[in-house]
Amino acid sequence: MADPDLRTHLESLLRQRILVMDGAMGTMVQALGLEEADFRGERFANHPQDLRGDNDLLVLTRPDAIRQIHDAFLAAGADLIETNSFNSTRISQADYALEPVCYELNVAAARLAREAADAWTAKTPDRPRFVAGALGPLSKTLSLSPDVNDPGFRAVGFDEVRDAYAEQTRGLLDGGVDVLMVETIFDTLNAKAALLAIREVLDERGVDVPVIISVTITDKSGRTLSGQTVDAFWTSVAHAHPLAVGINCSLGAEEMRPYIEELAEIAPVAISCYPNAGLPNAFGAYDETPSQTAALLREFAEAGWLNLVGGCCGTTPDHIRAIAEAVADVAPRTPPEPDHLTRYAGLETLTL
């Protein structure tokens, strides 16, 4: 059962200092140069489809590698690490014909992160470490048609998405996460299904687990892939009363600046920010150095925009160490008081 005082404890910590998240699991996995056999292990040796690239499966076939990555980020100064479960839903694992093991993937991912976090808490009892269960954005979208000739067509339905996220939530909770993190949101309707699933699972278990919500702004239009502005997105998810809301992925910190500033001005909860290490180069790699990323995020912190900070694509333990050092002496953001105005949101916000 979740600790009823955990939310209060985390809220207190977020008021005391800027907390640090981990960096890019995918980047670290790629650096290991794993082969098909690593992904298959003994259990999936005869699986009919190629499995290389299904990083989530490594929690079952190469748990040592994932534990090593968790430890590296914790050693770099991360207060909060994410489970390796970004794609651990039936919808995303269907690409590998691994739908039957989704619950098990989430339990194993959570337990690996839990063990690592607990080991580091024992080393630094004055600085406890926490685990966030990662719920990624899915390989299908509820708001957009994949068929340009049939705008009304959807590859997936709301109930199917909600059920997939409910299964993932149960697995993450059973593995022992402290927080649930709906992240890299490009379609708010997918996120609404995830938030509903979380609420229903928490209600059926009679527990309260804090939720962090993180959206991705796709380009300099300042909108999500499904077309929402930053403020409209917040209006759409504020009902979930998250521990924190923020922005991650797609952009580097420099490009993310106006959007994190806007969100920090309007959301009366903690703000998280974990950008990519700049924009990808022509080869899809990320060139921004740890010192560059850290300097930008220190600027954000000094501007009073941050409570929780980390890294997304391309960020390594060196990036996290530099970020942690850069924000260590900067006071966390103080959230604004709610204005109690009525707001509705489609692609943009209507305030009454």
Side-chain angles (χ1 to χ4, degrees):
M1 178 173 289
D3 180 355
D5 297 323
L6 180 59
R7 175 187 286 271
T8 301
H9 182 40
L10 286 168
E11 288 173 344
S12 175
L13 286 175
L14 288 165
R15 288 192 297 269
Q16 293 171 32
R17 62 185 177 88
I18 296 173
L19 297 186
V20 178
M21 295 174 54
D22 57 4
M25 175 64 72
T27 296
M28 297 296 288
V29 169
Q30 288 174 7
L32 296 175
L34 301 180
E35 301 294 338
E36 178 73 19
D38 292 293
F39 289 88
R40 287 180 175 273
E42 291 184 12
R43 178 174 173 182
F44 301 99
N46 298 316
H47 192 72
Q49 289 188 219
D50 289 345
L51 297 176
R52 185 176 180 181
D54 186 4
N55 292 347
D56 293 28
L57 186 59
L58 295 171
V59 301
L60 299 179
T61 58
R62 284 295 307 274
D64 58 310
I66 302 305
R67 174 62 190 267
Q68 174 187 330
I69 293 169
H70 285 320
D71 282 330
F73 281 124
L74 288 162
D79 299 292
L80 182 77
I81 57 170
E82 289 191 65
T83 55
N84 183 38
S85 57
F86 190 80
N87 292 307
S88 294
T89 58
R90 285 181 173 269
I91 292 170
S92 294
Q93 286 298 317
D95 294 344
Y96 299 96
L98 287 174
E99 298 97 321
V101 300
C102 282
Y103 170 79
E104 187 181 355
L105 287 177
N106 287 284
V107 174
R111 285 178 177 164
L112 271 175
R114 177 82 273 154
E115 290 167 5
D118 288 349
W120 279 87
T121 295
K123 291 181 184 179
T124 60
D126 58 325
R127 187 173 183 177
R129 313 302 176 98
F130 302 94
V131 175
L135 294 88
L138 303 187
S139 54
K140 296 179 181 178
T141 169
L142 287 166
S143 292
L144 303 170
S145 172
D147 183 355
V148 294
N149 297 311
D150 186 0
F153 174 73
R154 295 293 183 271
V156 69
F158 186 90
D159 289 346
E160 185 181 351
V161 171
R162 180 192 61 190
D163 292 347
Y165 278 126
E167 179 182 39
Q168 181 170 39
T169 299
R170 291 186 185 98
L172 292 171
L173 292 176
D174 290 344
V177 301
D178 299 304
V179 176
L180 292 165
M181 188 160 190
V182 184
E183 65 165 335
T184 321
I185 297 164
F186 67 86
D187 179 355
T188 309
L189 194 54
N190 281 26
K192 298 277 268 191
L195 294 171
L196 177 60
I198 289 170
R199 184 71 268 154
E200 290 178 342
V201 171
L202 295 182
D203 285 348
E204 75 184 25
R205 295 186 175 206
V207 299
D208 177 31
V209 174
V211 175
I212 297 173
I213 302 172
S214 187
V215 68
T216 185
I217 302 301
T218 52
D219 55 35
K220 292 184 179 181
S221 70
R223 293 178 182 264
T224 64
L225 186 65
S226 57
Q228 279 196 309
T229 59
V230 171
D231 60 306
F233 172 77
W234 167 242
T235 298
S236 298
V237 300
H239 66 88
H241 301 293
L243 175 72
V245 66
I247 304 176
N248 75 293
C249 208
S250 291
L251 304 174
E254 186 61 57
E255 296 77 22
M256 194 180 284
R257 185 188 303 263
Y259 315 121
I260 201 73
E261 178 181 10
E262 181 180 3
L263 190 58
E265 289 175 351
I266 61 175
V269 299
I271 293 294
S272 68
C273 176
Y274 53 114
N276 294 344
L279 296 176
N281 60 28
F283 302 102
Y286 294 86
D287 299 325
E288 194 168 272
T289 65
S291 61
Q292 290 173 319
T293 305
L296 288 165
L297 290 172
R298 181 178 174 87
E299 289 178 23
F300 291 9
E302 290 177 332
W305 301 338
L306 301 182
N307 302 98
L308 181 60
V309 66
C312 204
C313 302
T315 57
T316 65
D318 288 338
H319 286 82
I320 299 308
R321 184 174 293 105
I323 291 167
E325 292 171 355
V327 303
D329 62 345
V330 185
R333 163 184 170 272
T334 301
E337 290 296 319
D339 59 20
H340 302 295
L341 297 177
T342 298
R343 290 182 172 84
Y344 299 95
L347 297 184
E348 298 175 0
T349 304
L350 172 66
T351 303
L352 300 185

